[in-house]
Amino acid sequence: AQRGKSNASTTRVLSISDTIVLLTEGTITDVIPIHGLICNQLLPESVRKGIPLRGAASYGDFSATKGTILVGPAVDEAASWHESLDWIGVVLTPGAEYKHDPIPPWVLYAKAPIKGLGAKALWCVDWSTEWADDGEIKKLFGQAGPLDTGIAAKYMNTLDFLRSRIAAR
């Protein structure tokens, strides 16, 4: 996102193939909480609909056309972290974290699963409040179809996160 005043009218949602992009202009103290709250609502719903999401929120310079062309350092950072995630969830990129102290629904998770890096401490959207335990979400994951090792690992990593958050309440 870029500088400017943040409000609901300045958040754009783009769909590019299987990617959803949120663009919000404003200060980092406005933008990061807005994106956290939006993702907090999207993640549980995406699991219930059978189209689980993963993503990364960044902050910085970018250019967006009226179509779907996005370029700039913030876009590159978000895309890189998005591709590296091995779970269902949204993380705050290190570049954004270093510029802003996250507040709820962002929580620090010591074991965020990153392909090639292993478990790392990252700020993540806490979307666990939808469940009192892991029963419903395990059933939803079980309906996903064949769970080969690549897909099952994402679900197992997601369950680890949700169980840690449920236990912390």
Side-chain angles (χ1 to χ4, degrees):
Q2 296 177 340
R3 290 171 179 76
K5 186 171 180 178
S6 176
N7 60 45
S9 66
T10 62
T11 298
R12 289 175 46 201
V13 180
L14 303 177
S15 175
I16 306 167
S17 183
D18 65 348
T19 303
I20 298 169
V21 179
L22 303 175
L23 300 172
T24 304
E25 295 184 10
T27 66
I28 195 166
T29 55
D30 291 333
V31 170
I32 297 303
I34 288 170
H35 283 218
L37 292 170
I38 292 170
C39 293
N40 178 269
Q41 298 299 307
L42 285 176
L43 285 160
E45 190 61 26
S46 76
V47 170
R48 287 190 176 105
K49 298 282 185 190
I51 49 169
L53 301 173
R54 73 171 190 265
S58 66
Y59 181 86
D61 293 327
F62 70 91
S63 287
T65 66
K66 293 201 185 292
T68 58
I69 298 174
L70 302 170
V71 296
V75 175
D76 294 344
E77 184 180 33
S80 172
W81 282 93
H82 163 265
E83 286 300 320
S84 296
L85 297 175
D86 200 18
W87 72 345
I88 300 162
V90 174
V91 301
L92 189 60
T93 64
E97 175 198 344
Y98 300 163
K99 296 173 190 163
H100 173 67
D101 292 327
I103 59 172
W106 297 96
V107 295
L108 187 61
Y109 180 52
K111 299 180 190 177
I114 308 300
K115 297 174 191 168
L117 295 178
K120 296 294 175 191
L122 292 174
W123 287 89
C124 309
V125 172
D126 181 6
W127 55 286
S128 68
T129 56
E130 290 285 318
W131 293 281
D133 57 40
D134 65 4
E136 178 189 356
I137 198 161
K138 282 175 31 181
K139 287 178 187 171
L140 291 167
F141 288 171
Q143 296 167 2
L147 297 178
D148 64 38
T149 55
I151 299 298
K154 287 177 180 27
Y155 290 149
M156 289 186 274
N157 292 334
T158 302
L159 281 171
D160 287 346
F161 171 72
L162 292 173
R163 288 172 178 149
S164 76
R165 297 305 309 153
I166 291 167
R169 285 195 285 232

